[in-house]
Amino acid sequence: MKLLNKTLQYYFWLSIVLLMVAIPVFYYVLQRIVLSNIDASLVATKTQLIPRLRVMEIEPEALQPQLDDGVTLEKAPRRPESDSLYTSDKYRLLTSYLVINQETYRLQIKSSLADHQRLIGSIIVLQSVLLILLLSGLLLINQSLAKRIWKPFYQTLRKLRAYKVDDPAPLQLAPSGISEFGELNSAVEQLAERSRQSYLSQKEFAENASHELRTPLAVFQGKLEMLMQTTPLSEEQAALISELADASHRMTRLNKGLLLLTRIQNGQFPDTAAVLVRETARHLLAQYEPQIAQKGLQVEEDWLDELPVNMSPNLLEVLLGNLLSNAIRHNLPGGKIVVKGANGMLTVSNTGQAYPLQEDRIYQRFAKNSKDAESLGLGLEIVRKICDLYGFEVKYSWEKGMHNFQVIMKS
């Protein structure tokens, strides 16, 4: 959730709580005020009636004066000490006792509450609408102001998303009149520049190391081949030279693997193209035919989809090559390899050791699950780095004696 929406969420719930508290309180206060006014009106009515009722005391034979609607006068057996105000049904009543000609009379004045309740309801509805409009307006104004205030932040965020560490020009962010955003932009620019310089240094080191190592390794390999062709050569010398040649070949592969990892991590494969996974996989299987035949492996293909992807063709070959070479290298003699492609997923399965691999180690650098001297422990890490680079997902499973590596290329 965005910070702006999070802030507005707090304002929204605060507004709801205020409405839920304010409306009942306002209703109660308004009702008390109305009742107080009604009571005052009833008392005033009583005060106005007293002179008219005194006629009966001065002139006993006089007829009972005409009373207004809602006013009753009747004899009562006794006289309480004080008047009473109370609500009965939908009326507010005032009861008072008078002594006229030594007779006790009960005077009762009532006023309907229906009209007042409708008035209170109308006022509550109007007040609620005004409160809702006021709070909604405040939320909208706050949202508009917050967007304007946070605009420099989103500008910085857009530039950071578009920024690439291999850009030749340093990152430059727009100045901001807000001190906090100005400090943030300054810190981000410094961090980006340090990252760019670190990237350039790492890139230069990787290129120089690759170049400097490649030449002596090539010379070393060439001298070993020349040494193999010299005569006389004893059996012991030939064995030593063969071991040196294997070590040289291993060093060359290790140098290429580490360099490839560094280039992938640095994003040095910007070129992308529409390539077909099935076509590339079949091409690689044809290249691995001698190794497959040497171990007597059975290869099965099941392609329901050509699996078109947009990525670097070189990295696709590396990804498929590592999966297929592992399936060959770690397979059993006379074993089986199954390559499937369907619904945006590539699966490479192979027979091998009779227990599952350790999933927490298979993608670690130099982690090995076999005693094969030819294995460098870099293949699966390179596979994972390529998948991370293009947003793919790689999964491992072990079922019915088959080791399965599944690459999900489409979400």
Side-chain angles (χ1 to χ4, degrees):
M1 179 180 293
K2 291 186 177 181
L3 180 61
L4 177 59
N5 293 337
K6 190 72 173 179
T7 305
L8 290 176
Q9 187 182 55
Y10 285 122
Y11 282 129
F12 174 77
W13 288 114
L14 177 61
S15 302
I16 294 296
V17 172
L18 288 176
L19 284 173
M20 293 179 66
V21 173
I23 292 176
V25 170
F26 182 72
Y27 175 79
Y28 175 79
V29 172
L30 187 60
Q31 191 176 43
R32 298 307 304 173
I33 293 174
V34 170
L35 288 177
S36 177
N37 290 334
I38 294 175
D39 292 346
S41 176
L42 292 174
V43 172
T45 302
K46 172 195 169 184
T47 304
Q48 294 174 359
L49 284 173
I50 294 299
R52 297 166 58 185
L53 296 175
R54 291 302 180 189
V55 174
M56 296 175 61
E57 184 175 5
I58 298 172
E59 302 177 6
E61 293 79 10
L63 296 175
Q64 182 174 323
Q66 185 69 29
L67 300 177
D68 299 331
D69 292 338
V71 179
T72 59
L73 182 66
E74 57 186 6
K75 290 184 178 182
R78 60 185 181 84
R79 177 185 179 184
E81 296 180 357
S82 61
D83 297 347
S84 61
L85 286 164
Y86 58 94
T87 301
S88 175
D89 199 8
K90 295 182 180 181
Y91 294 92
R92 186 69 174 173
L93 295 97
L94 168 64
T95 301
S96 180
Y97 291 85
L98 305 173
V99 177
I100 302 175
N101 296 328
Q102 298 180 352
E103 294 285 343
T104 302
Y105 288 87
R106 183 178 65 188
L107 175 65
Q108 191 174 67
I109 307 172
K110 65 180 180 180
S111 178
S112 176
L113 295 177
D115 294 339
H116 298 89
Q117 290 294 340
R118 285 194 293 269
L119 177 61
I120 292 174
S122 300
I123 294 175
I124 290 296
V125 171
L126 178 61
Q127 185 68 19
S128 301
V129 171
L130 291 176
L131 281 174
I132 293 174
L133 291 176
L134 176 61
L135 293 175
S136 300
L138 289 175
L139 288 175
L140 292 176
I141 292 173
N142 180 74
Q143 184 179 23
S144 177
L145 289 176
K147 284 184 177 180
R148 293 173 60 184
I149 293 173
W150 284 89
K151 186 177 180 180
F153 171 79
Y154 289 111
Q155 289 177 343
T156 299
L157 188 61
R158 282 194 297 270
K159 285 203 170 184
L160 285 176
R161 285 174 175 169
Y163 176 71
K164 295 182 179 179
V165 73
D166 56 348
D167 287 344
L171 177 65
Q172 291 184 345
L173 302 175
S176 174
I178 302 176
S179 301
E180 290 79 2
F181 289 146
E183 294 177 4
L184 175 64
N185 290 350
S186 177
V188 168
E189 287 176 350
Q190 295 175 12
L191 178 62
E193 182 60 21
R194 289 197 297 269
S195 299
R196 192 174 73 91
Q197 294 297 332
S198 176
Y199 164 78
L200 293 176
S201 299
Q202 187 178 11
K203 180 182 177 182
E204 184 179 1
F205 169 78
E207 292 174 349
N208 292 340
S210 174
H211 176 74
E212 296 299 329
L213 285 173
R214 189 181 303 154
T215 301
L217 285 175
V219 173
F220 183 71
Q221 186 71 27
K223 296 295 184 181
L224 281 177
E225 292 177 358
M226 293 178 60
L227 186 59
M228 288 180 182
Q229 298 175 4
T230 59
T231 54
L233 193 64
S234 66
E235 183 177 348
E236 183 179 359
Q237 291 173 333
L240 291 174
I241 293 174
S242 178
E243 291 178 2
L244 288 174
D246 291 341
S248 173
H249 179 64
R250 180 179 174 81
M251 289 174 62
T252 302
R253 290 176 54 227
L254 181 61
N255 178 50
K256 290 181 179 179
L258 291 174
L259 177 61
L260 179 62
L261 276 174
T262 302
R263 294 182 64 193
I264 293 174
Q265 291 173 344
N266 292 339
Q268 293 179 246
F269 289 91
D271 57 313
T272 59
V275 288
L276 299 178
V277 175
R278 182 177 67 173
E279 181 179 332
T280 306
R282 286 180 171 177
H283 176 71
L284 291 173
L285 285 173
Q287 290 184 351
Y288 289 137
E289 188 62 36
Q291 293 91 327
I292 294 173
Q294 183 180 4
K295 297 191 73 170
L297 302 178
Q298 178 185 356
V299 179
E300 296 181 5
E301 295 185 53
D302 184 8
W303 296 97
L304 300 179
D305 188 357
E306 292 185 348
L307 295 182
V309 292
N310 288 314
M311 63 182 298
S312 169
N314 293 331
L315 288 185
L316 177 60
E317 288 193 6
V318 172
L319 186 148
L320 296 179
N322 285 347
L323 291 176
L324 292 175
S325 63
N326 280 348
I328 297 171
R329 181 180 297 114
H330 302 293
N331 214 321
L332 302 173
K336 183 169 65 172
I337 297 175
V338 180
V339 182
K340 295 182 180 180
N343 301 322
M345 292 180 291
L346 169 73
T347 305
V348 178
S349 307
N350 64 277
T351 52
Q353 62 186 26
Y355 51 87
L357 305 177
Q358 298 181 21
E359 293 190 49
D360 57 338
R361 296 187 68 249
I362 56 177
Y363 301 111
Q364 294 179 4
R365 187 171 298 188
F366 302 120
K368 297 182 181 181
N369 292 279
S370 70
K371 299 180 180 179
D372 189 355
E374 292 294 322
S375 177
L376 298 176
L378 293 176
L380 289 179
E381 187 193 8
I382 293 175
V383 168
R384 189 189 64 178
K385 293 294 184 183
I386 296 175
C387 289
D388 292 343
L389 180 64
Y390 292 102
F392 300 161
E393 184 179 2
V394 57
K395 294 181 178 180
Y396 166 77
S397 62
W398 185 75
E399 297 178 0
K400 299 179 181 180
M402 298 289 288
H403 299 272
N404 309 300
F405 285 91
Q406 185 180 65
V407 179
I408 303 173
M409 299 180 173
K410 293 180 182 179
S411 57

